[in-house]
């Protein structure tokens, strides 16, 4: 019998501190940085974001999301045999956030590792977990996207600091006799490193370079729209399906205009796109599982629906996962 993987539970967590655009604008104004709710909403669709307290880490946020996903799947943490955390803001240089989270879950022994593909991290991690389940290396995986991007924002740069937020989303992916994940398509092109990066590193006890986020917004926008269309089409073709078969498009939540352009290119009505960027901002690797969980818990996404998850981000990386929920 063919072995497939299927999502059996979802969860998410946002840190309690919520800042509207007006709240953020007031904080930035105190530092001499000018922005407005009107500018942010018009250019990005973002209305609010959540920021974690200084002592809260990605594994803390991921842990809350993981607990919810386990409960939704009806599993105990002890039954998990693989943990993958997608993050670009891990708790430490090493060990991985996944190992730290494994210990917080009170379990030991199963493989645990981080995936670093920035905003595509969750579709990368889901694809790896799917492959490990299909080949019998795992049966019950926790796949988590968790970020504290507020730590790497330059609050003197209004072109980037208004865009991002903190949070985590998680899924339980289990071996199944019926598909689940139908197809996926991952890519990277390292020549675009410079358009979206945090160009700092740690060496000899010092931070070398600049450890804050840098972005060429217009270059990112153009690339993102093109690759999101091609990844969606490639994934559909692998599964012998068409755009008309997609019930819900759940793209990385970076910017509402990127999502609108993608839906248009795929000839999908925007009503079929799950949007949480307005309330979450861009939470990088956490954005897709956060949006998925919100859509599941609001009753929009139902058992049996066909979902297209799509990520794009620094690297440049991009990819899509098509699945039967
Ligand atoms: N508030 C007020 N004004 C601002 C702000 C701000 N926060 N940021 C920029 N401006 C000003 C600029 O200074 C500029 O002013 P000027 O004309 O006097 O020089 C003006 O607004 C226009 O700036 P642009 O950078 O040209 O604005 P643009 O329309 O390109 O929008 C944005 C910027 C929203 C970043 C856009 O390029 C974009 O959506 N890019 C996609 C990138 C993205 O979403 N990245 C997220 C991370 S990547 C990822 O997750 C895939």
């Amino acid at each position: 019998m063919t072995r497939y993987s299927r999502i059996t539970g979802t969860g998410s967590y946002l840190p309690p501190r919520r800042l509207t655009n007006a709240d953020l604008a007031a904080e930035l104004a105190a530092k001499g940085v000018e922005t407005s709710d009107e500018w942010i909403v018009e250019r990005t669709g973002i209305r609010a974001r959540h920021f974690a307290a200084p002592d809260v880490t990605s594994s803390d946020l991921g842990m809350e999301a993981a607990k919810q996903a386990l409960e939704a799947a009806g599993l105990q943490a002890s039954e998990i045999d693989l943990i993958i955390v997608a993050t670009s803001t891990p708790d430490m240089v090493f060990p991985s956030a996944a190992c730290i989270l494994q210990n917080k879950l009170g379990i030991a022994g199963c493989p645990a590792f981080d995936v670093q593909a920035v905003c595509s991290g969750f579709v990368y991690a889901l694809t790896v977990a799917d492959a490990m389940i299909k080949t019998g290396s795992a049966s019950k995986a926790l796949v988590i996207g968790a970020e504290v991007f507020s730590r790497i924002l330059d609050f003197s740069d209004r072109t980037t600091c208004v865009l991002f937020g903190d949070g985590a989303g998680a899924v339980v992916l289990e071996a199944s006799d019926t598909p689940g994940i139908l197809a996926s398509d991952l890519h990277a092109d390292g020549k675009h490193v410079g358009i979206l990066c945090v160009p700092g590193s740690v060496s000899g006890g010092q931070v070398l370079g600049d450890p804050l986020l840098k972005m060429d917004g217009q270059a990112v926008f153009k690339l993102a729209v093109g690759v999101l269309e091609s990844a969606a089409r490639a994934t559909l073709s692998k599964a012998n399906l068409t755009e008309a078969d997609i019930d819900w498009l759940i793209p990385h939540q970076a910017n509402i205009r990127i999502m609108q352009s993608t839906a248009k290119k795929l000839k999908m009505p925007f009503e079929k796109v799950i949007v949480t960027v307005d309330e979450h901002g861009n939470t990088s690797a956490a954005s897709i599982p956060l949006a998925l969980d919100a859509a599941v818990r609001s009753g929009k996404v139902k058992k049996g629906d066909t979902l297209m998850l799509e990520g794009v981000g620094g690297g440049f990386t991009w990819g899509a996962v098509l699945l039967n929920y």
Side-chain angles (χ1 to χ4, degrees):
M1 195 185 290
T2 312
R3 191 174 155 99
Y4 300 99
S5 78
R6 176 177 277 279
I7 292 177
T8 56
T10 66
S12 63
Y13 182 74
L14 292 162
R17 186 168 171 243
R18 176 179 180 270
L19 280 94
T20 62
N21 290 342
D23 296 333
L24 184 61
E27 283 196 8
L28 293 175
K31 295 176 184 161
V33 177
E34 198 189 320
T35 189
S36 66
D37 174 57
E38 195 189 6
W39 191 96
I40 301 169
V41 171
E42 189 192 306
R43 305 289 176 124
T44 72
I46 297 167
R47 293 180 185 276
R49 77 286 292 139
H50 292 245
F51 285 161
D55 59 340
V56 170
T57 62
S58 285
S59 75
D60 290 327
L61 303 180
M63 175 68 185
E64 296 305 316
K67 281 196 283 194
Q68 281 187 16
L70 285 168
E71 195 184 335
L75 291 184
Q76 300 295 317
S78 56
E79 294 175 83
I80 291 298
D81 59 10
L82 170 66
I83 301 172
I84 308 180
V85 176
T87 186
S88 300
T89 48
D91 302 30
M92 301 179 184
V93 172
F94 73 80
S96 65
C99 286
I100 297 168
L101 195 144
Q102 181 195 44
N103 186 46
K104 284 179 181 162
L105 282 170
I107 60 175
C110 72
F113 58 92
D114 289 358
V115 162
Q116 220 289 35
V118 203
C119 305
S120 313
F122 187 75
V123 290
Y124 266 63
L126 199 58
T127 301
V128 173
D130 172 55
M132 288 180 73
I133 286 175
K134 281 182 177 150
T135 54
S137 305
S139 296
K140 293 176 177 11
L142 254 177
V143 184
I144 298 160
E147 302 279 16
V148 283
F149 253 57
S150 58
R151 306 281 154 77
I152 53 169
L153 296 180
D154 178 354
F155 285 99
S156 68
D157 175 9
R158 66 179 181 174
T159 67
T160 54
C161 72
V162 300
L163 304 176
F164 296 89
D166 301 338
V171 301
V172 171
L173 193 71
E174 291 191 62
S176 160
D177 296 340
T178 54
I181 291 189
L182 303 169
S184 64
D185 187 61
L186 300 181
H187 299 275
D189 184 349
K191 77 168 168 285
H192 301 294
V193 166
I195 63 169
L196 180 54
C197 57
V198 177
S201 63
V202 179
S203 176
Q206 310 245 308
V207 174
L208 297 188
D210 188 340
L212 299 176
L213 186 145
K214 307 274 172 284
M215 180 178 73
D216 176 345
Q218 284 173 10
V220 168
F221 194 104
K222 269 189 221 143
L223 259 173
V225 172
V227 298
L228 286 171
E229 183 194 7
S230 63
R233 291 201 186 284
T235 313
L236 285 166
S237 147
K238 286 181 190 178
N240 281 320
L241 294 177
T242 71
E243 301 93 297
D245 297 306
I246 302 172
D247 293 305
W248 294 102
L249 179 66
I250 310 187
H252 168 49
Q253 307 283 316
N255 182 312
I256 199 143
R257 292 189 298 142
I258 296 179
M259 291 187 251
Q260 285 163 341
S261 303
T262 307
K264 204 168 156 193
K265 281 181 179 263
L266 293 174
K267 299 192 175 55
M268 287 184 66
F270 199 61
E271 296 72 53
K272 286 191 169 191
V273 182
I274 300 294
V275 176
T276 51
V277 71
D278 52 340
E279 274 300 312
H280 301 170
N282 180 348
T283 58
S284 192
S287 93
I288 295 171
L290 264 164
L292 171 63
D293 185 54
V296 166
R297 285 174 198 269
S298 71
K300 276 187 177 172
V301 165
K302 297 188 177 56
K303 280 276 165 224
D305 281 355
T306 300
L307 312 182
M308 173 72 81
L309 314 184
E310 283 207 280
V312 57
F316 223 61
T317 56
W318 65 98
V321 175
L322 185 69
L323 63 94
N324 186 271
Y325 179 70

